[in-house]
Amino acid sequence: MGTTEDFEEFARAQIPRLYRTAWLLVGDRHLAEDLVQDTLANLLKVWHRVESPGAYARTTLVRTFISQRRRKSWAERPTGDVPELAAERVGDPELRIALQSALAELAPLDRAVLVLRFFEDRSVEQVALDLGKKTSAITTRTARALDRLRAVLGADADQLIAL
């Protein structure tokens, strides 16, 4: 690793994937951009000693999201309902909006677990490592978060699983 040029090349290649994950976590285009920027800034600080920059970036992104949500000062209040544009819109937009709303009702850690497990297609072990939790805790959180998501989505849950 090491050089600034290597970091810039890595960042250009990873921004779309990091943005997608960030958008799924925060549900807002501007906040997702901020989260990716914070993640890359933190990665740049330790770039010369990181062995697996992709894993480090994903872990930093999720931990930064959870940390921000825990702060009492994190409470932006929107002035109206403005529809956000997804990183990539495929499928039924109404179902995607329903999913975004349902994810927003979950606790930040539950939301992070579901996004990493099902949208990033990471294993339970990888998610546990990223979040600094035991695999049994991730399994339990996944099951509970999915139950909560199904309860919020109701009839739309089966359609969203296919997306």
Side-chain angles (χ1 to χ4, degrees):
M1 293 293 113
T3 69
T4 304
E5 291 80 22
D6 290 339
F7 174 78
E8 290 173 3
E9 182 179 331
F10 170 82
R12 274 192 292 279
Q14 292 298 310
I15 282 175
R17 183 174 185 186
L18 291 171
Y19 174 78
R20 178 178 169 259
T21 301
W23 186 84
L24 287 166
L25 289 169
V26 298
D28 177 272
R29 186 176 78 215
H30 302 292
L31 293 175
E33 290 169 354
D34 291 345
L35 186 56
V36 170
Q37 184 176 357
D38 291 345
T39 298
L40 291 174
N42 289 332
L43 177 58
L44 181 59
K45 293 175 190 175
V46 295
W47 178 251
H48 63 281
R49 61 182 173 187
V50 172
E51 292 182 27
S52 181
Y56 186 92
R58 285 187 302 275
T59 299
T60 301
L61 182 110
V62 173
R63 288 183 178 175
T64 301
F65 161 73
I66 292 169
S67 175
Q68 287 175 347
R69 290 295 168 108
R70 286 183 179 154
R71 286 189 217 135
K72 289 183 180 182
S73 64
W74 193 96
E76 281 189 29
R77 303 283 184 239
T79 57
D81 289 53
V82 179
E84 293 294 330
L85 300 175
E88 289 184 36
R89 283 243 162 124
V90 180
D92 186 354
E94 291 173 7
L95 290 176
R96 293 214 176 259
I97 291 170
L99 176 60
Q100 179 184 352
S101 297
L103 283 171
E105 291 188 30
L106 298 176
L109 186 57
D110 289 345
R111 187 174 184 172
V113 167
L114 290 184
V115 168
L116 290 175
R117 285 280 292 122
F118 299 107
F119 292 99
E120 287 290 316
D121 198 27
R122 299 180 60 82
S123 70
V124 172
E125 293 78 16
Q126 290 170 322
V127 174
L129 185 63
D130 286 349
L131 298 178
K133 305 284 183 195
K134 293 182 180 181
T135 56
S136 59
I138 297 301
T139 303
T140 301
R141 277 201 174 270
T142 300
R144 288 181 183 164
L146 283 173
D147 287 345
R148 173 80 173 120
L149 200 60
R150 285 185 184 106
V152 170
L153 289 172
D156 291 337
D158 292 333
Q159 291 176 313
L160 285 169
I161 291 171
L163 292 180

